[in-house]
Amino acid sequence: MIEKNQKKFLTVAPFECAWGNNLRFREAGRGCVAFEAFAHNDVTVVFREHVGSQHYHYKRDNSPHYTVIIGSHRNRRLKIEVDGKTAVDVAGVGLCCSSAFQSYWISIYDGLISIGKGRYPFQNLVFQWLDSNPNFSVQYVGLSSWDKHVGYRNVNVLPLTQNHISLWKHVDYGEFEGKEDGEEEMENESGQYESWGLDNFLESWELSDIFFVVGEEEKTVPAHKVILAASGNFGSSLVSQVVIQLQDVSYPVLHAFLQYIYTGHTKILESQLSSLKALSLKYEVMALVKQCEEMTERFKLNKKLFDSGNNVEISHPSSRPHCGIAFPSGLPLNMQRLKQFQITGEYSDVDIYVGGHGLIAPSHKIILALWSVPFCKMFTNGMSESISSKVLFQDVPLEAFESMLEFMYCGELNREDTMDIGTLLLQLLLLADQFGVSLLHQECCKTFLECLSEDTVCPILQAILSVPSCKLIEETCERKFSMHFDYCTTASIDFVLLDEATFSSILKHPDLTVTSEERVLNAILLWCLQAKDLYGWDIADEMMLHSTPELLFGERFQSVEYLLPLVRFPLLPYPLLKKLERSHLSRKIPTFDFLVNEAVCYLESGLANLQYEQNARFQHRRSSFKELQYICDGDSNGVFYFAGTSYGEHPWVNPVLAKRICISASSPISRHTDPKVLVSRAYQGTSFVGPRIEDEKNSAWWMIDIGQDHQLMCNYYTLRQDGSRAYIRCWNFQGSLDGKSWTNLRVHENDPTMCKPGQFASWPMIGPNALLPFRFFRVILTAPTTDESNPWNFCICFLELYGYFR
């Protein structure tokens, strides 16, 4: 496979496939890939559950996958294959073209495959097909080919949101020469920033600091030193002169020369091609020299290609940059040289000061104006900055402002410096919004979306709520939060800092997924109480005993009345509803009492009629956790068995050996203290863990880590006695997020359940703690066993956990 990835394109050889870490859906079964392709036929995109190899080909793949072929059968048909079998074969849809790159997009949403053409996804749909037996696990995208090379570029894999077009506008901001399908429609929405570029300053006196005098008529043509110096070698003339005399050069030749530098493309008569080459050679604009030479050679080989009376078009080869990570418009400027001018201050015409920090950088007005319309207006509309060589900015964060200046000189965002979403990246986003640096704003938005996870969704939401231009990120965060409601409301208490509008939008979101309505109730009470610690409704009920709702909820008292109806009380267990009916919350909050009584009456009447079923408050929600339900002792439904099957993908192997889970013990590992025995599902006659001294007391325990990316809301657990008669009587079953601070999930005091060698026993979790997700679990002795010789040996040979697994 030949790869050309210097911000240009990637070429895939026949019968091969390109994969990459960035070519992956964020959510399995749901995503969109947008790209440009250069091919005579057979633009082939593969969607698999796992990444493939370079020499992968879909014709030889037996694993589950989708294949979309645009321009099959010599560019006459569109095909979709499912697991190697043709599912769609239609004529004349979405055809390719070998004369230029064309834009395509393909989205998959739970088996719905949509294919379109044009720069913007979800516009110009050309075909759509729904798989009746959808594959919800496809996640990796492969760019393939058939029997001819295919070129790909500007490849982006995007998440699916409710606002698809807006998302794409935040991600893709490359410049294009021609107008593709749908581009004219989008231009009306683009605004003045997106059409701004260096061509606005071609032969403009605005911000110019040098001018040419050309031809016998001595026509004056303004220019900008730093732009000229970054495109070629003008020697000392740029430093020592304000005027450059070019009496032997005609204006059309100079115009074509400057137009190429400022826009990346130009036109000139064939008869003037040699003069343009000579001028380019004089000032060492080598990219233009090379293209003039190529045009001349082509003319010599075939004079019919040109008519001496017509214009010859010349375009810089990188005038259509890769995904916008380049200087605007892909101009023929030397970026390293431009960056050096920023560092040295050479050719600078403005010194930038930041209040409290003094001079931070000598800069170039033309560079700042090129990126920002507000900067341009500042320097040209008669303000004090227009005539001064000094500009002072008050109340701007220094580090973020310096990062914005750095971006203006290189066109790239320093990801290492901006990954802290709480500080620098947010400040940079606000500055980009303030100064209208639209490409930087879009790059910050893209970085926010890339950083988006269950752990960062709350900080990002808090950070961008005050930025009107970040509505898309806000909507994406709200959807992410709602889809992982259990985790986001228990991993931290940060969600109580959200404003009411945002929190209520999450609670009303159609994608809200939660394991229990009790979780929704707890989250609402915590938010209304502006809690500083995580706890359940029972703690809030105790607080209500010695206080009033007005005092407890404070400024959010009115929100209680508004948010409580969002809990689907009729879906709560009947015993829990009876507890709530007798609670202080019911006695002191009329809305709470009404909703609980309504739910109790509904359950006691047993009338689940159509009127109720059509009411959203009586419909179950989806769960973001997988339910692993206890059926019987020693069954195959628990967490450790599930982990042993690679979470449902492969035949079972011991999960400790497969490194899916980790088990540690209070005493050193030995022949009779073997972690893998606990999950081996095989009876072991002698299996125990010995004591260690902790806090000056004996302690014996087994501890389980289910993995960094996993959590469990445990509602049942099972133990099995080994062959000994050392029966446990007092112990705790505990959970932890960090393996250090432990929460009791069940406390056993003088529990006589264990009474036979090899016996199984299981216990449910009762109370609000059963709704808390944990990564670490342990069973720990709190008193001696019934064995008098070794009373602190904890003798079990099997352990299994159940509940809601993530």
Side-chain angles (χ1 to χ4, degrees):
M1 179 169 61
I2 305 171
E3 293 192 23
K4 299 178 181 178
N5 197 13
Q6 300 171 347
K7 295 184 180 177
K8 295 181 181 178
F9 58 86
L10 166 80
T11 301
V12 179
F15 308 109
E16 293 191 358
C17 193
W19 308 87
N21 292 332
N22 59 329
L23 300 181
R24 179 184 182 183
F25 292 166
R26 291 290 298 272
E27 182 181 3
R30 297 178 177 181
C32 176
V33 57
F35 59 95
E36 290 181 87
F38 181 103
H40 185 66
N41 52 256
D42 290 308
V43 173
T44 306
V45 183
V46 183
F47 302 89
R48 300 182 80 236
E49 297 179 4
H50 306 285
V51 70
S53 66
Q54 173 183 332
H55 299 287
Y56 164 91
H57 200 267
Y58 62 95
K59 289 291 186 183
R60 302 187 296 269
D61 188 5
N62 296 322
S63 64
H65 68 283
Y66 291 121
T67 303
V68 176
I69 308 168
I70 302 172
S72 180
H73 292 75
R74 297 187 178 181
N75 202 29
R76 291 196 297 268
R77 309 186 71 81
L78 170 74
K79 292 185 68 176
I80 300 177
E81 295 188 0
V82 180
D83 303 340
K85 297 180 180 179
T86 300
V88 172
D89 188 353
V90 294
V93 175
L95 303 182
C96 315
C97 175
S98 60
S99 61
F101 276 92
Q102 288 191 336
S103 299
Y104 304 89
W105 57 267
I106 303 171
S107 74
I108 296 181
Y109 188 92
D110 294 346
L112 178 65
I113 299 179
S114 305
I115 303 164
K117 296 183 68 174
R119 180 182 175 189
Y120 298 98
F122 307 99
Q123 287 192 337
N124 302 303
L125 177 72
V126 298
F127 189 80
Q128 201 168 45
W129 174 74
L130 178 61
D131 187 359
S132 59
N133 185 25
N135 185 333
F136 298 103
S137 302
V138 291
Q139 195 162 12
Y140 291 88
V141 180
L143 306 176
S144 187
S145 63
W146 180 234
D147 59 349
K148 292 182 176 65
H149 286 79
V150 177
Y152 295 91
R153 71 178 183 186
N154 293 354
V155 182
N156 278 282
V157 177
L158 309 173
L160 294 183
T161 68
Q162 292 180 319
N163 193 338
H164 308 297
I165 297 173
S166 297
L167 174 60
W168 183 249
K169 289 183 68 180
H170 276 282
V171 174
D172 177 28
Y173 43 84
E175 297 290 332
F176 291 79
E177 292 178 353
K179 295 192 185 303
E180 297 182 13
D181 297 336
E183 189 165 343
E184 291 183 356
E185 297 176 16
M186 297 302 294
E187 282 185 345
N188 296 329
E189 305 173 11
S190 297
Q192 59 178 337
Y193 294 170
E194 295 188 11
S195 62
W196 195 252
L198 192 55
D199 55 333
N200 294 82
F201 299 94
L202 174 64
E203 298 186 21
S204 169
W205 288 99
E206 299 284 13
L207 308 180
S208 63
D209 50 6
I210 195 169
F211 60 91
F212 294 90
V213 177
V214 294
E216 296 179 358
E217 69 276 18
E218 295 189 345
K219 181 179 177 63
T220 56
V221 181
H224 306 82
K225 290 182 178 181
V226 67
I227 300 299
L228 299 177
S231 61
N233 183 5
F234 287 75
S236 60
S237 59
L238 294 183
V239 178
S240 58
Q241 297 176 230
V242 178
V243 180
I244 298 179
Q245 296 281 347
L246 294 175
Q247 293 182 346
D248 56 343
V249 177
S250 66
Y251 169 71
V253 172
L254 178 64
H255 173 76
F257 176 74
L258 292 177
Q259 187 179 43
Y260 181 84
I261 291 174
Y262 278 71
T263 70
H265 54 84
T266 189
K267 294 180 180 179
I268 194 169
L269 291 173
E270 184 275 324
S271 59
Q272 297 174 327
L273 197 59
S274 59
S275 299
L276 179 60
K277 174 187 171 184
L279 182 61
S280 305
L281 194 59
K282 176 179 180 180
Y283 291 118
E284 299 182 16
V285 183
M286 302 313 296
L288 184 53
V289 171
K290 181 179 179 181
Q291 288 183 281
C292 288
E293 291 175 345
E294 291 176 353
M295 286 290 184
T296 303
E297 289 299 317
R298 289 176 60 190
F299 179 75
K300 289 179 180 178
L301 292 173
N302 189 350
K303 292 188 178 182
K304 293 182 179 180
L305 289 175
F306 301 97
D307 184 332
S308 59
N310 292 335
N311 286 327
V312 175
E313 294 189 10
I314 302 174
S315 293
H316 185 59
S318 61
S319 61
R320 296 165 80 178
H322 177 74
C323 286
I325 309 300
F327 202 77
S329 303
L331 304 173
L333 304 182
N334 187 314
M335 301 307 298
Q336 288 75 22
R337 196 178 299 172
L338 195 64
K339 181 65 178 175
Q340 190 64 29
F341 295 155
Q342 181 203 14
I343 296 172
T344 63
E346 193 172 359
Y347 309 116
S348 67
D349 55 1
V350 62
D351 291 331
I352 295 182
Y353 293 78
V354 170
H357 300 281
L359 175 66
I360 65 165
S363 299
H364 308 83
K365 290 182 178 180
I366 182 65
I367 299 299
L368 305 186
L370 166 63
W371 285 96
S372 163
V373 173
F375 266 124
C376 182
K377 290 181 177 179
M378 178 189 300
F379 296 137
T380 59
N381 67 357
M383 296 173 64
S384 59
E385 292 85 355
S386 301
I387 57 176
S388 174
S389 61
K390 297 180 180 179
V391 177
L392 172 64
F393 293 98
Q394 298 282 9
D395 303 321
V396 296
L398 175 63
E399 188 179 0
F401 196 87
E402 290 176 331
S403 293
M404 183 176 71
L405 291 179
E406 182 180 352
F407 179 87
M408 289 176 161
Y409 280 86
C410 67
E412 294 183 0
L413 186 63
N414 189 330
R415 296 299 181 90
E416 293 183 1
D417 292 343
T418 55
M419 289 308 290
D420 181 0
I421 60 170
T423 52
L424 181 59
L425 184 59
L426 173 63
Q427 294 171 351
L428 198 55
L429 177 68
L430 295 174
L431 282 179
D433 185 66
Q434 176 184 348
F435 290 101
V437 188
S438 59
L439 301 188
L440 175 59
H441 182 274
Q442 293 162 5
E443 191 68 12
C444 289
C445 287
K446 181 179 178 181
T447 304
F448 267 115
L449 290 173
E450 290 174 350
C451 295
L452 189 60
S453 69
E454 298 93 312
D455 291 311
T456 61
V457 63
C458 268
I460 291 178
L461 261 177
Q462 295 169 48
I464 55 88
L465 283 176
S466 61
V467 187
S469 59
C470 291
K471 190 65 178 176
L472 164 71
I473 300 179
E474 179 184 342
E475 292 174 356
T476 307
C477 286
E478 287 178 359
R479 180 172 183 265
K480 187 79 171 180
F481 192 117
S482 67
M483 293 180 66
H484 302 276
F485 189 85
D486 289 296
Y487 182 86
C488 294
T489 54
T490 52
S492 80
I493 199 67
D494 289 347
F495 74 94
V496 304
L497 301 176
L498 300 175
D499 61 28
E500 180 181 304
T502 302
F503 188 56
S504 64
S505 294
I506 292 168
L507 292 169
K508 295 176 182 177
H509 203 284
D511 289 329
L512 180 66
T513 55
V514 64
T515 54
S516 166
E517 288 301 311
E518 189 177 355
R519 172 78 69 208
V520 181
L521 173 61
N522 288 343
I524 289 174
L525 292 174
L526 288 172
W527 185 88
C528 291
L529 288 166
Q530 302 183 67
K532 300 192 183 318
D533 298 302
L534 288 166
Y535 48 79
W537 67 267
D538 54 336
I539 302 299
D541 190 56
E542 291 179 12
M543 297 164 62
M544 196 69 67
L545 176 62
H546 303 292
S547 185
T548 65
E550 291 82 1
L551 288 175
L552 279 178
F553 296 115
E555 61 184 16
R556 294 185 177 179
F557 174 66
Q558 296 299 325
S559 301
V560 178
E561 303 283 328
Y562 172 66
L563 296 177
L564 277 177
L566 300 179
V567 181
R568 299 181 180 182
F569 283 93
L571 303 181
L572 290 169
Y574 182 75
L576 176 58
L577 284 171
K578 296 302 288 183
K579 287 183 180 179
L580 294 174
E581 194 177 34
R582 299 187 298 269
S583 67
H584 303 295
L585 291 166
S586 279
R587 284 199 291 270
K588 296 188 178 183
I589 304 175
T591 300
F592 192 96
D593 182 58
F594 171 80
L595 293 168
V596 170
N597 279 301
E598 179 191 43
V600 170
C601 292
Y602 162 71
L603 293 177
E604 289 180 344
S605 69
L607 297 177
N609 56 35
L610 183 62
Q611 178 183 357
Y612 281 127
E613 292 297 327
Q614 290 178 339
N615 190 323
R617 293 192 296 117
F618 296 83
Q619 297 174 7
H620 287 275
R621 310 182 203 258
R622 292 180 299 170
S623 172
S624 58
F625 284 58
K626 180 177 180 61
E627 185 175 9
L628 300 173
Q629 184 177 3
Y630 168 80
I631 300 297
C632 64
D633 295 342
D635 61 24
S636 299
N637 299 322
V639 172
F640 302 149
Y641 186 87
F642 186 57
T645 63
S646 300
Y647 311 110
E649 295 186 2
H650 301 109
W652 186 86
V653 296
N654 190 299
V656 171
L657 295 176
K659 297 183 179 179
R660 301 288 181 185
I661 65 171
C662 179
I663 299 180
S664 54
S666 56
S667 61
I669 304 303
S670 67
R671 183 174 134 199
H672 298 301
T673 306
D674 186 352
K676 64 179 180 293
V677 166
L678 241 58
V679 291
S680 69
R681 310 187 65 78
Y683 174 71
Q684 187 83 2
T686 304
S687 174
F688 64 86
V689 63
R692 70 163 64 179
I693 302 297
E694 293 180 342
D695 298 328
E696 299 181 357
K697 297 179 181 179
N698 277 327
S699 178
W701 46 258
W702 292 96
M703 183 174 73
I704 304 97
D705 177 4
I706 61 175
Q708 181 176 357
D709 299 324
H710 300 290
Q711 289 187 328
L712 174 70
M713 288 186 282
C714 187
N715 58 23
Y716 237 98
Y717 80 102
T718 300
L719 299 179
R720 188 180 190 184
Q721 180 76 21
D722 71 353
S724 72
R725 296 182 178 275
Y727 305 127
I728 54 177
R729 291 292 176 259
C730 300
W731 75 98
N732 291 344
F733 177 66
Q734 302 174 321
S736 172
L737 287 170
D738 57 9
K740 298 176 181 177
S741 301
W742 295 93
T743 299
N744 286 331
L745 301 180
R746 183 161 184 130
V747 175
H748 299 263
E749 293 287 349
N750 298 316
D751 187 333
T753 304
M754 288 294 196
C755 56
K756 292 186 282 189
Q759 176 189 351
F760 282 101
S762 301
W763 296 268
M765 303 299 110
I766 300 173
N769 285 350
L771 296 175
L772 299 177
F774 296 107
R775 169 184 169 181
F776 298 90
F777 296 88
R778 72 175 179 178
V779 281
I780 179 170
L781 280 183
T782 56
T785 67
T786 59
D787 184 55
E788 295 183 357
S789 58
N790 295 292
W792 284 96
N793 278 358
F794 192 171
C795 302
I796 56 173
C797 64
F798 176 83
L799 176 63
E800 184 59 282
L801 310 181
Y802 303 85
Y804 293 96
F805 180 75
R806 173 184 177 273

